[in-house]
Amino acid sequence: MTTAIIGTGGIGSVIARQLASGGETLRLSSADTKSARRLAAEIGRGAVAAAGNRDALQGADAVVLALRFAVLKSVIDEIAESLVGNVVVVPSNPLSADAQGNLSRLLPKGQSSGEVVAGWLPPGARLAMAFGTMSADLFESASKRSPERAVLFYATDDDRAGEEVERLIRTAGFEPARIGGIEQSGRLEVGGDLHDLIVGPAQARSLMGGA
Ligand SMILES: NC(=O)c1ccc[n+]([C@@H]2O[C@H](COP(=O)([O-])OP(=O)(O)OC[C@H]3O[C@@H](n4cnc5c(N)ncnc54)[C@H](OP(=O)(O)O)[C@@H]3O)[C@@H](O)[C@H]2O)c1
């Protein structure tokens, strides 16, 4: 199966490496194509740098938008036509960082990245909020944990997106757990009760009930 990853920075590159090591074919795209080309070369077989964001979606079964919140809308607008009917996976937290690295939230308290992104997508796009629930380092080190896989939580309103994101989560070396619809996705973000947790399925089930 083939996944497009738009954004090959801190989290996009780790998602790409984990999916590739699970056998996924990747089409990568970044702002200036250099970092996508570098990552495709590093991963080797099964990964290609696309000619641009729209080209990345050619033949892809899903697209991961591994982009900072501030650029998400412009990229969604650029590729909107190609998103209709497609599974769109978004790991973005609604944060920005200043020159000193201090983080600030870009949305009012109580409004989640998922709810805002859902409003930016064209009708027919199938959104799942996933792969942004851990820092890149934690995501990399928790992949393929044994004997029990670590859980990656996700949220979606769309069953088809749920099936696809569960396949991707397993391919990346985790056990999927759906916390509910997009209205629940604030729980996955930085500051949410399910963010940056390494738990197995039993503990995940008990945490999910504890909203
Ligand atoms: N990093 C983490 O640990 C982490 C963990 C969980 C969630 N997240 C979330 O994931 C999102 C991305 O974070 P990040 O740390 O990966 O950011 P990042 O390191 O700044 O990477 C952003 C990527 O987006 C690409 N990009 C920017 N504008 C683009 C455009 N118009 N078209 C195509 N690609 C474009 C950049 O391309 P270039 O490479 O060419 O500059 C870069 O590859 C954020 O919303 C963050 O909250 C991050």
Side-chain angles (χ1 to χ4, degrees), residues 7-11 30-32 35 53 67-68 75 91-93 132 134-136:
T8 51
I11 196 72
S30 57
D32 69 2
S35 72
N53 293 338
L67 299 163
R68 293 190 183 200
V75 172
S92 300
N93 286 286
M134 292 176 193
S135 67

Side-chain angles (χ1 to χ4, degrees), residues 27 51 75 96 112 123 143 149 187:
R27 295 182 61 78
V75 172
S96 73
S112 68
S143 168
R149 293 267 164 126
R187 298 184 69 190

Side-chain angles (χ1 to χ4, degrees), residues 7-31:
T8 51
I11 196 72
S13 61
V14 176
I15 296 170
R17 280 190 214 103
Q18 302 300 4
L19 288 178
S21 80
E24 190 77 358
T25 297
L26 301 175
R27 295 182 61 78
L28 307 174
S29 166
S30 57

